[in-house]
Amino acid sequence: MEIQSNFSLKNYNTFGIEAKARQFVAVHTVAELKTILEENKDEQKFILGGGSNMLLTKDIDALVVHIDLKGKTILKEDDDFVWVESQAGETWHDFVLWTIDNNFGGLENMSLIPGNVGTTPVQNIGAYGTEIKDTFVSCEAINIATQEMKTFTNTDCKFGYRESVFKNEVKDQYIITSVIYKLTKRNHKINISYGDITAELAKNNITAPTLKDVSNAVIAIRQSKLPDPKELGNSGSFFKNPILLKSDFEKIHQKFPEMKYYEVSETEVKVPAGWLIEQAGFKGKRFGDAGIHKNQALVLVNYGNATGQEILAVSKDVQKTVFDTFGIQIEAEVNVI
């Protein structure tokens, strides 16, 4: 393991932001990770996974530890289910495709989400009616201060909408090293409740979709709306969809009857942040090399040489305008560093 100094992180964040790490090291095993943590106890540390859910607004004055643990294992299975463990450094989309190739169901609606497996429980990532919490069994994590391993169960993680214990009570205390998912082997619960998926399947004359069909539909939809980070720097959805109390939403809806929404409970409604941003006039707007994608208003992009500060300024402008227009506060889903 070589610790490098003044290391460029441009290729380690999907926004493609040029920022430097004071020191940088990649770890490939849990043993290497324990050694680095133990030997650098007094160093400020910054843990880096796939770099897909962050906006770097400055250089990182710390030891950046890149989690590059690889491997997939079938732990056990019965006639109906299989328990699969993936190391944290596996690319999420590659892992999803592997499960589909093995006819393991449960992750297909989350195809093409950027990032690595280890960060999926942190955000409780989700798409098209599914979330990590639906298939998550547990994860192994290492305590940064003591190097002790701990197992977090589904309940321990306190999953919410793009929330978990790792963003709250134990934030910056643990590094996830592997994750276990319970997936179906038969009687798959095919979820095509979202109109986009239904329309994509119909376009291809598919009436009895397989796991692969659903995955392909999701990939086609995402590729039509979302830019490839390798071609145009971005971090996927920059903002969360706001969840409002029905009583508050009804007052707003009277003023904006065309506003789209989805019921999430008897008392709450989710409003698509992309719709709010588009109605506020930001879709496709460009401010120098920072901007909002032309096909999806939820996605902020780096057209080449934007700084993190410039993209952050655009995001704050979007938030202020949406609030001034609709009285709705939208929160960043991306971690601003």
Side-chain angles (χ1 to χ4, degrees):
M1 291 178 294
E2 181 190 357
I3 296 180
Q4 301 178 69
S5 299
N6 198 31
F7 187 86
S8 172
L9 297 173
K10 186 177 177 70
N11 295 327
Y12 289 82
N13 71 98
T14 59
F15 261 117
I17 299 293
E18 179 56 81
K20 292 284 197 335
R22 178 165 55 81
Q23 291 185 302
F24 175 93
V25 64
V27 295
H28 308 97
T29 66
V30 173
E32 286 185 356
L33 177 56
K34 284 185 175 181
T35 299
I36 285 293
L37 294 177
E38 198 169 0
E39 291 180 353
N40 297 274
K41 273 185 177 175
D42 299 327
E43 281 278 347
Q44 183 74 26
K45 287 171 282 292
F46 180 91
I47 309 307
L48 177 64
S52 66
N53 197 52
M54 66 179 190
L55 174 64
L56 294 173
T57 62
K58 59 189 176 185
D59 291 338
I60 305 298
D61 185 22
L63 170 60
V64 173
V65 182
H66 176 45
I67 308 303
D68 197 27
L69 284 60
K70 303 290 189 185
K72 303 178 286 289
T73 310
I74 295 173
L75 297 178
K76 65 175 182 176
E77 56 186 310
D78 58 26
D79 289 343
D80 296 307
F81 297 101
V82 61
W83 286 256
V84 177
E85 181 177 40
S86 173
Q87 297 302 304
E90 287 285 340
T91 301
W92 172 252
H93 180 57
D94 290 346
F95 174 63
V96 172
L97 293 182
W98 177 82
T99 65
I100 292 166
D101 286 344
N102 283 278
N103 197 36
F104 301 155
L107 306 180
E108 57 281 352
N109 288 52
M110 293 181 281
S111 298
L112 211 61
I113 292 178
N116 288 354
V117 168
T119 52
T120 61
V122 179
Q123 281 287 111
N124 183 26
I125 67 167
Y128 299 105
T130 62
E131 292 180 310
I132 282 301
K133 68 177 178 63
D134 303 330
T135 53
F136 177 94
V137 176
S138 64
C139 65
E140 289 294 304
I142 187 170
N143 186 299
I144 294 172
T146 66
Q147 293 85 59
E148 292 177 0
M149 298 299 294
K150 177 178 171 66
T151 300
F152 287 84
T153 65
N154 193 308
T155 304
D156 293 337
C157 288
K158 300 182 181 177
F159 289 125
Y161 174 56
R162 303 297 173 267
E163 287 287 345
S164 75
V165 70
F166 299 105
K167 292 182 75 174
N168 297 292
E169 295 97 313
V170 300
K171 184 177 181 182
D172 299 329
Q173 294 178 35
Y174 286 88
I175 302 168
I176 294 170
T177 57
S178 64
V179 186
I180 298 173
Y181 303 93
K182 180 183 177 182
L183 307 174
T184 54
K185 288 175 63 180
R186 62 182 185 183
N187 302 320
H188 303 304
K189 295 177 181 174
I190 301 291
N191 184 344
I192 55 171
S193 57
Y194 272 67
D196 284 356
I197 296 180
T198 307
E200 185 66 27
L201 292 169
K203 190 170 80 177
N204 292 290
N205 299 314
I206 296 169
T207 54
T210 63
L211 300 176
K212 187 70 173 172
D213 291 332
V214 174
S215 174
N216 287 341
V218 169
I219 290 169
I221 295 162
R222 291 182 74 89
Q223 287 178 334
S224 72
K225 293 181 177 181
L226 305 173
D228 183 343
K230 292 170 185 168
E231 297 172 6
L232 187 62
N234 74 93
S235 194
S237 298
F238 195 93
F239 299 102
K240 298 179 185 178
N241 292 316
I243 295 176
L244 310 177
L245 288 172
K246 277 189 179 177
S247 54
D248 294 333
F249 171 74
E250 282 161 6
K251 294 171 192 169
I252 299 169
H253 201 220
Q254 285 176 355
K255 290 175 67 177
F256 304 97
E258 72 282 10
M259 183 178 289
K260 297 181 184 298
Y261 67 95
Y262 308 95
E263 290 193 3
V264 293
S265 71
E266 290 183 3
T267 58
E268 292 179 319
V269 164
K270 183 189 290 184
V271 178
W275 185 90
L276 296 171
I277 297 165
E278 185 172 346
Q279 297 305 306
F282 281 96
K283 187 175 180 180
K285 268 198 170 182
R286 182 168 175 169
F287 306 84
D289 268 4
I292 296 89
H293 194 247
K294 59 184 174 59
N295 294 338
Q296 174 52 272
L298 266 182
V299 178
L300 272 59
V301 295
N302 175 8
Y303 285 102
N305 295 305
T307 66
Q309 288 287 352
E310 288 168 342
I311 290 172
L312 181 62
V314 171
S315 76
K316 290 185 178 300
D317 190 14
V318 168
Q319 287 173 309
K320 182 180 185 304
T321 305
V322 166
F323 184 77
D324 290 347
T325 305
F326 300 104
I328 295 175
Q329 183 68 53
I330 55 172
E331 295 179 23
E333 184 175 324
V334 167
N335 295 308
V336 177
I337 310 300

